[in-house]
Amino acid sequence: MNSLTVTPLSIALGAQISGVDITQPLNLEDRDAIEQALLRLSVLFLRDQPINPRQQARFAANFGDLHIHPIYPNVPEQPEVLILDTAVTDVRDNAVWHTDVTFLPTPALGAVLSAKLLPAFGGDTLWASGIAAYEALSEPFKRLLDGLTATHDFIKSFPLERFGTSAQDLARWEQARQKNPPLSHPVVRTHPVSGRKSLFVSDGFTTRINELEPAESEAILKLLFAHATRPESTIRWRWQENDVAFWDNRVTQHYAVDDYRPQRRVMHRATILGDVPF
């Protein structure tokens, strides 16, 4: 008998999952139940899941192929799992509202984040629902946005002055920049499974709306960045060690609160590749 339970945490997004051990291979019933919960609630939280990198990659791979990040360090024996360690890497780019790797032609379907070492206080993460934000817009404004595209640029969150400070880092940065030139995605994205519409711009990577004049683009993006992250469209998670979060990157953005320095924070992330936004 399936013991997996889904407890919603807010109207806009978020649920806690219990009754499943993701350190073990998932059975098909649990895998499908988790996927359906993700489609409905966009971000899922699981307590007390002491997964190692191999187990984390295995869990994430239930939902798609995994991405290897071009900048962040990874676990040597499991390169699909990147390491966010404040003692090693400048992670200030996570303290801005962003949707992961939208600088790719096929941005992430989702990501699985595991808490390994936490500060005594601080270090929460917030998620915002692009679906809730879009649905809260007026009908005339929706009509304005539908059909527009926006440029997403790798260097907005990974500038040379912060990620090219050594010869090795510079070589990595230049290779990543060459492989990831600026590209365009719809301002309003349609979820490929649910069919629901979502805002698909974020302060982390979106630089301009292509069809508008620069001043118009700047004004509209400023409005959208603020609107998409209104408290009514967000949820905040206070981490405990061995917590796991799994979110639908197609219809959310998130913000890792940088309020714990000089304490250390270590997280592992496995990123699941998605498809071309439309």
Side-chain angles (χ1 to χ4, degrees), residues 240-262:
Q240 297 177 12
E241 191 171 326
N242 293 321
D243 279 359
V244 169
F246 178 24
W247 65 91
D248 190 332
N249 196 68
R250 298 165 291 194
V251 293
T252 62
Q253 51 183 304
H254 53 283
Y255 185 113
V257 183
D258 191 1
D259 62 350
Y260 50 87
R261 308 299 180 97

Side-chain angles (χ1 to χ4, degrees), residues 5 12 32 86 91 101 105 138 158 187 196 206 221 228 230 249 266:
T5 60
D32 290 348
T86 56
V91 296
V101 296
S138 68
F158 297 101
V187 171
R196 300 179 74 182
T206 309
L221 283 178
R230 294 172 62 221
N249 196 68
V266 181

